[in-house]
């Protein structure tokens, strides 16, 4: 079905700014030989679609600022932050780089990033959805521009559901399966599917252990207390979430090789027919769509317990603290988050916007636009309280704790009680530095 959001009326606030602007603003960085243009370096990783979108937006930025060039420095994701750490330590950092929300706190908390407070008016701050603005702030100060987000929904194979006699799925967020209803669906599939085919897989691989927190939040729990300085686990909610998710493996509802330290994403299990459902981010749709006919699969919402919850995916754009071209770098970062630029990037790469006005816009997504309403609606349950807990400076270390302990519980047989206790101890140690 087509999206029903009202058409976006606002265009990009770009305006021509030439070399004279750069000189008046004190940009003294390197210039390309022969043409005298001021050069910004923007480091990123990306899929083919993401890199094409960035190059198109860079061309537009350069067109409206004739004295400026943006050099795209492309890194593999696996190497991105290793290289960034070395460049920051060696004084060779780019002017800007792409940074996921989970990693942001490590850089903002260590003084590596430019405080963007002077560059954003109250109206500009308010244009972003509160959860995403909160995600880029440390002690009330913004250190990144929320560029886009992605979130998880449940993809399902219609043919497998039909074979199992499951004739309907929730079509509205408020009608999402309860945990008990989801468990019944999974058990029904397990009984009807052939050997070697599993009810579902979950997207907590490749550094995504933090997505387990969706179950904790849905149970009404927290990882950190209100101060964000101490763990809020162990708790009855944490035990409930751990018992439920550990049961996925113990009861054979997921492939045994789909733990948090496995290498593949759920998309390959879904397209190969190994699972009937995949908890998957919208950014996976361009990979899945060519492998399956549209009529074979659909999307519905994540199950809920006492609350609906989801994970914080997506990326920000940051400006390094010691850039000699701070104002120009901020100008480029803000340009990427103008309504027109953000909309173009989201449409090409099949991700979600962070600007409030764009939630009501009519998007022309490159892949499966009929499914994107589900992801839009799922993202609305994300709260500032959820993002604040994953935005602390120590979260990179906390995520490593989650990865180790969840793997021990899911694959190694560690008890639910011991796992929650060890997550609490590891989180406390991570917060202490």
């Amino acid at each position: 079905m087509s999206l029903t959001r009202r058409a976006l009326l606002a265009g990009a606030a770009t305006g021509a700014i030439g070399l004279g602007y750069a000189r008046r603003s004190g940009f003294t960085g390197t210039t390309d030989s022969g043409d005298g243009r001021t050069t910004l370096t923007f480091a990123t990783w990306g899929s083919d679609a993401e890199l094409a979108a960035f190059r198109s937006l860079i061309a537009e930025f350069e067109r409206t600022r004739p004295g400026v060039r943006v050099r795209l420095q492309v890194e593999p994701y696996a190497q991105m932050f290793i290289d960034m750490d070395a460049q920051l330590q060696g004084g060779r950092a780019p002017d800007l780089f792409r940074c996921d929300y989970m990693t942001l706190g490590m850089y903002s908390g260590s003084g590596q990033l430019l405080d963007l407070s002077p560059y954003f008016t109250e109206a500009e701050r308010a244009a972003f959805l509160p959860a995403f603005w909160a995600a880029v702030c440390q002690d009330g100060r913004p250190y990144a521009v929320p560029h886009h987000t992605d979130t998880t929904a449940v993809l399902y194979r219609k043919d497998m559901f039909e074979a199992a006699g499951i004739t309907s799925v929730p079509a509205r967020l408020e009608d999402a399966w309860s945990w008990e209803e989801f468990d019944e669906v999974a058990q029904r599939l397990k009984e009807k599917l052939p050997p070697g085919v599993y009810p579902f897989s979950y997207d907590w691989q490749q550094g995504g252990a933090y997505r387990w927190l969706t179950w904790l939040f849905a149970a009404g729990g927290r990882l950190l207390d209100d101060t964000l300085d101490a763990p809020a686990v162990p708790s009855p909610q944490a035990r409930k979430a751990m018992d439920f998710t550990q049961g996925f493996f113990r009861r054979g509802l997921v492939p045994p090789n789909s733990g948090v330290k496995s290498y593949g994403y759920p998309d390959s299990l879904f397209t190969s027919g190994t699972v009937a459902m995949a908890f998957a981010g919208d950014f996976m749709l361009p990979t899945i769509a060519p492998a399956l006919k549209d009529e074979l699969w659909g999307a519905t919402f994540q199950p809920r317990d006492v609350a609906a919850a989801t994970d914080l995916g997506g990326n920000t754009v940051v400006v390094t603290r010691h850039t000699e071209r701070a104002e120009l770098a901020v100008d480029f970062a803000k340009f990427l988050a103008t309504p027109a630029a953000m909309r173009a990037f989201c449409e090409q790469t099949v991700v979600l916007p962070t600007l409030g006005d764009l939630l009501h816009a009519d998007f022309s997504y490159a892949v499966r636009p009929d499914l994107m309403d589900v992801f839009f609606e799922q993202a609305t349950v994300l709260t500032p309280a959820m993002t604040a807990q994953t935005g602390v400076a120590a979260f990179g270390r906390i995520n490593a704790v989650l990865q180790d302990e969840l793997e021990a519980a899911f694959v190694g047989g560690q008890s639910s009680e011991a796992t929650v206790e060890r997550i609490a101890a590891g989180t406390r140690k991570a917060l202490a530095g």
Side-chain angles (χ1 to χ4, degrees), residues 158 285 289 292-299 350 365-373:
K158 296 180 180 180
L285 298 188
L292 288 175
K293 294 180 179 179
D294 289 359
E295 59 267 26
L296 285 180
W297 57 295
V350 195
Y365 277 105
V367 173
R368 292 306 302 265
D370 56 312
L371 302 185
M372 290 303 292
D373 274 342

Side-chain angles (χ1 to χ4, degrees), residues 209-221:
Y210 67 88
R211 293 192 177 98
W212 177 83
L213 296 177
T214 295
W215 301 99
L216 175 61
F217 296 152

